[in-house]
Amino acid sequence: MFYLIRHGTADYTEKDTKIYQGFGNHLAPLSAKGIREIETTAADPRLAQARLILSSPYTRALQSAAILSRCLQIPLQVETDLHEWLADQTYVYLPDEQAARHYNEFQACNGLYPPGEEKTWESLSAMRRRMIRVFQRYQGQGDLLVVCHGLVIQSLCGYHPGNGEIVEFDLDSCMNDQNTKRKQRTKQNEQI
């Protein structure tokens, strides 16, 4: 079982004062509230049997994972593909205003490209594929904690969790659902 955990609340008070512009947003640490959220999360009995923590490389997630690692006494590993949603899939950081426009468009399209269109922002299905590739490398290793971001969890589970919230994710069930849908599409195409 994978336990997806959204990072604690970040402290963006230094945004726009140091280097916290563009990619610098990802350097923001947890707020005092965010630290308390994750310490509370660590006490959840579902996490007691976890063997490993996988974390996004962004500070708010990595700090959350470090707190969990300390509290639960289990190792932590950074997985770069657990990063946040990409406003631009070429990994170019956009000015804040342009990134906000991409995010607003992503939201207006419910995370899906309109039929026949390609966008530069990362779709929910692309995030989902990215996450599943990571999970497949760890499949069969027991209960794992995955500390990442709300939109990334939404791509897998269909809703945006709160800070410090735990969402259970069973990769086998997910893969079986995908295979069933693929077979249904193939059967429909054969009937056409």
Side-chain angles (χ1 to χ4, degrees):
M1 178 68 69
F2 291 90
Y3 293 94
L4 311 180
I5 303 171
R6 185 177 177 205
H7 59 77
T9 301
D11 179 359
Y12 293 109
T13 58
E14 293 184 338
K15 184 183 175 339
D16 299 331
T17 61
K18 292 185 177 180
I19 58 169
Y20 286 21
Q21 297 172 359
F23 77 91
N25 273 336
H26 302 309
L27 301 178
L30 294 181
S31 65
K33 176 184 177 186
I35 292 169
R36 288 190 306 274
E37 290 166 344
I38 298 302
E39 288 173 340
T40 299
T41 300
D44 190 300
R46 293 176 290 176
L47 308 185
Q49 299 303 311
R51 301 170 52 111
L52 178 67
I53 300 169
L54 305 176
S55 179
S56 159
Y58 295 173
T59 303
R60 60 194 181 273
L62 192 53
Q63 186 180 0
S64 297
I67 293 167
L68 290 166
S69 178
R70 176 180 48 82
C71 292
L72 298 169
Q73 297 294 296
I74 55 176
L76 160 63
Q77 183 166 324
V78 174
E79 279 287 343
T80 56
D81 277 341
L82 297 178
H83 61 76
E84 178 64 281
W85 169 78
L86 295 172
D88 186 315
Q89 292 185 89
T90 64
Y91 292 93
V92 171
Y93 278 93
L94 305 175
D96 289 346
E97 302 78 28
Q98 189 176 359
R101 281 194 305 276
H102 284 212
Y103 179 73
N104 290 337
E105 185 177 77
F106 170 88
Q107 292 290 75
C109 295
N110 295 314
L112 304 172
Y113 299 153
E117 291 186 38
E118 285 292 319
K119 301 289 183 180
T120 57
W121 45 262
E122 187 178 30
S123 69
L124 281 174
S125 57
M127 277 189 282
R128 181 182 182 88
R129 286 190 302 273
R130 173 167 51 90
M131 293 290 285
I132 288 174
R133 281 192 305 269
V134 172
F135 294 170
Q136 287 174 326
R137 292 196 304 267
Y138 294 92
Q139 193 170 15
Q141 294 188 27
D143 290 348
L144 301 178
L145 309 185
V146 179
V147 183
C148 55
H149 308 277
L151 279 177
V152 175
I153 295 171
Q154 181 180 338
S155 76
L156 293 165
C157 303
Y159 84 103
H160 198 97
N163 294 99
E165 186 173 344
I166 301 168
V167 178
E168 295 179 15
F169 181 76
D170 181 4
L171 182 60
D172 290 330
S173 294
C174 172
M175 299 307 290
N176 289 337
D177 289 348
Q178 284 185 331
N179 288 335
T180 299
K181 288 177 185 175
R182 190 175 302 115
K183 287 176 185 175
Q184 288 172 341
R185 282 193 304 270
T186 302
K187 189 173 182 176
Q188 288 171 346
N189 290 339
E190 288 173 354
Q191 292 173 351
I192 295 177

